[in-house]
Amino acid sequence: MFIYSLPLFFTHIGLASPLDLLIIFMALFVVLFISSLFGGENPQKQSSDNYLFAAWNGSVPLRWVFWPFFLILNACLYAADTLVKIGLFTVSSWDDVHLMLLLPTVWWTTAVWRCSPNSSLSVWAACARLLTISVFFEYGLKLLIRIDYPRIFFGCEELLLDYSSCF
């Protein structure tokens, strides 16, 4: 997450400085931490045989919802970005990967927010919620790069079949 998009954001786009984003990130963390303190307890519900349904309902410990999908999502995003940088993916393929990951990301965000009271400390709940919000910020950055700055990220001079996507 943010391996390719954040450096482009700071060097070429420049809508905010690293200090600005750090202040926003920390303020959002404080708000999420305070809200997790007063969020109330979510007692462990009956465990279901289906992991996806149990996570959706909030009856799974937070670590079992957050970490598997976070690692898989970041591996997929890194692989897609690296393949585009190398020139093995076209712009359309990159769009397809991000579109395919969008619905599971929405599921994951909902599951993390519902399972966050099941964490041992409120700090972990706030961190997990902050990282789910950060994924959507990453998606927003990639959409901005895709629409307004495609020539910076994609090797448009090497793309013969998908050259129109760089305009």
Side-chain angles (χ1 to χ4, degrees):
M1 203 164 59
F2 300 119
I3 292 174
Y4 293 113
S5 60
L6 211 54
L8 288 176
F9 180 75
F10 291 136
T11 58
H12 296 287
I13 300 170
L15 292 176
S17 69
L19 182 62
D20 295 339
L21 287 184
L22 182 64
I23 291 170
I24 292 169
F25 192 77
M26 294 307 292
L28 192 56
F29 176 75
V30 168
V31 168
L32 290 172
F33 179 72
I34 292 171
S35 71
S36 68
L37 290 175
F38 299 113
E41 288 297 319
N42 185 14
Q44 292 282 343
K45 298 173 187 162
Q46 292 181 3
S47 180
S48 174
D49 292 337
N50 188 352
Y51 166 76
L52 297 176
F53 183 70
W56 178 263
N57 284 331
S59 60
V60 176
L62 179 63
R63 66 181 174 272
W64 290 108
V65 173
F66 178 77
W67 285 111
F69 189 79
F70 182 73
L71 295 174
I72 292 169
L73 175 72
N74 281 312
C76 291
L77 290 177
Y78 178 74
D81 289 350
T82 303
L83 289 174
V84 163
K85 288 297 232 181
I86 294 171
L88 297 176
F89 258 17
T90 61
V91 180
S92 300
S93 300
W94 188 77
D95 289 343
D96 292 342
V97 168
H98 285 83
L99 189 61
M100 285 188 307
L101 290 174
L102 187 60
L103 187 61
T105 303
V106 170
W107 173 87
W108 175 62
T109 303
T110 305
V112 165
W113 281 73
R114 288 181 179 174
C115 292
S116 61
N118 298 337
S119 66
S120 57
L121 296 172
S122 297
V123 171
W124 299 127
C127 286
R129 288 178 174 184
L130 183 63
L131 286 174
T132 58
I133 292 171
S134 299
V135 168
F136 287 103
F137 179 67
E138 167 81 2
Y139 263 92
L141 276 179
K142 290 188 178 198
L143 185 65
L144 179 71
I145 290 169
R146 169 67 177 93
I147 292 172
D148 292 337
Y149 303 97
R151 290 181 173 215
I152 295 172
F153 187 72
F154 303 105
C156 292
E157 58 276 350
E158 297 174 5
L159 297 173
L160 294 177
L161 296 175
D162 207 14
Y163 188 71
S164 63
S165 296
C166 292
F167 294 104

